[in-house]
Amino acid sequence: ALTVMCGGSPEAMARAEGATLFMVLLGTMMLRGIITLIPTFLIWRDLQRIDTFTPLTIGALKSAADQAMAAHGLANVHGSIVAQGEEGGVPHNAGTDTRTVKTGLPIVCDIFPKDTATGFFFDMTRTFVPGKATAAQKKAYEDVRQATVLGFEGYTPGLSFKGLHERVARLLAEKGYENLETHPGTQVGFCHGLGHGLGLEVHEDPFVRGGKAPLAPGMVITIEPGVYYPAKKLGIRIEDVAVVREGYLENLTDYPC
């Protein structure tokens, strides 16, 4: 999570925290082999908002991300997810563009650009709290982080994607979160699959629902556990990209979680 310390009026603090969040969001796009730098003119443009007292919106963050990706040959063909509060508490809610970024609420940032030179997709999610995170938000984040680690370390040769999903779901169930196995049809807790295949489509085989077919070396998948409680304005997701190797999963996402 992101903690920002800033003085001044509540309005100025919110704008300063929003600008810092903007820089962190661009930082999430520093993906190995895809983006190698952050365009400084975009950071400068957003820092101007502090001086002009223009509220930072969800749409402005998405637009800045689009411009940064386009500058590096990446096409945002399916849009991005930047969702805060109760919207972030609904898996894959894209977020309302006109909404002003608020302090103290988690914001789920999910980018999945297409490399125009190769046609391949990448996919990555991080969750931030602009301002100071609560103890409950920090706990949920740490629980999801541990689930992400298990998504990699829990893989063993011959294991299916469904089997890996079940291991992660059990961990989150032990921590008190609902899942589709313990609570069929649930729309809160860990209420989606662990991940999906990634390649010339942003969602492709293998899928968790594929059953007992083992993950095979060379497959590219996402590992993206999350927990969601819209009534609590809480949504946390972490997503990395992995390549199945002989005996382990290699993490291709070069950004801390």
Side-chain angles (χ1 to χ4, degrees), residues 162 165-166 169 179-184 186 190:
K162 188 176 189 318
H165 165 89
E166 290 171 347
N179 64 62
L180 294 171
E181 285 70 38
T182 60
H183 297 73
T186 183
F190 180 33

Side-chain angles (χ1 to χ4, degrees), residues 24-154:
V24 174
L25 176 61
L26 289 183
T28 68
M29 292 184 287
M30 296 178 65
L31 310 177
R32 181 166 59 217
I34 294 187
I35 296 179
T36 57
L37 58 89
I38 300 177
T40 55
F41 80 91
L42 288 176
I43 297 175
W44 168 254
R45 187 192 70 177
D46 203 73
L47 288 175
Q48 293 298 305
R49 289 196 174 95
I50 299 176
D51 297 329
T52 57
F53 295 97
T54 302
L56 181 67
T57 65
I58 295 294
L61 289 176
K62 292 179 182 178
S63 177
D66 287 347
Q67 293 180 50
M69 288 187 283
H72 291 275
L74 301 174
N76 185 15
V77 297
H78 297 303
S80 298
I81 293 172
V82 182
Q84 188 172 35
E86 71 281 358
E87 292 185 333
V90 178
H92 302 100
N93 184 315
T96 300
D97 288 355
T98 56
R99 180 170 178 161
T100 300
V101 174
K102 304 294 185 182
T103 58
L105 294 178
I107 181 167
V108 178
C109 304
D110 187 345
I111 57 172
F112 30 98
K114 179 180 181 178
D115 187 331
T116 56
T118 65
F120 286 99
F121 281 87
F122 203 83
D123 202 355
M124 176 181 175
T125 305
R126 290 295 185 269
T127 304
F128 307 97
V129 175
K132 185 176 181 180
T134 66
Q137 291 166 350
K138 290 178 180 179
K139 179 185 183 303
Y141 188 93
E142 176 59 20
D143 291 342
V144 173
R145 189 195 67 79
Q146 291 180 22
T148 305
V149 171
L150 181 62
F152 283 87
E153 296 182 353

Side-chain angles (χ1 to χ4, degrees), residues 161 197-198 205-206 213-221 242-245 249-250:
F161 210 171
L198 184 69
D205 285 332
L215 291 170
M219 288 180 170
V220 179
I221 62 174
V243 177
V244 183
R245 301 298 189 190
L249 298 183
E250 179 185 358

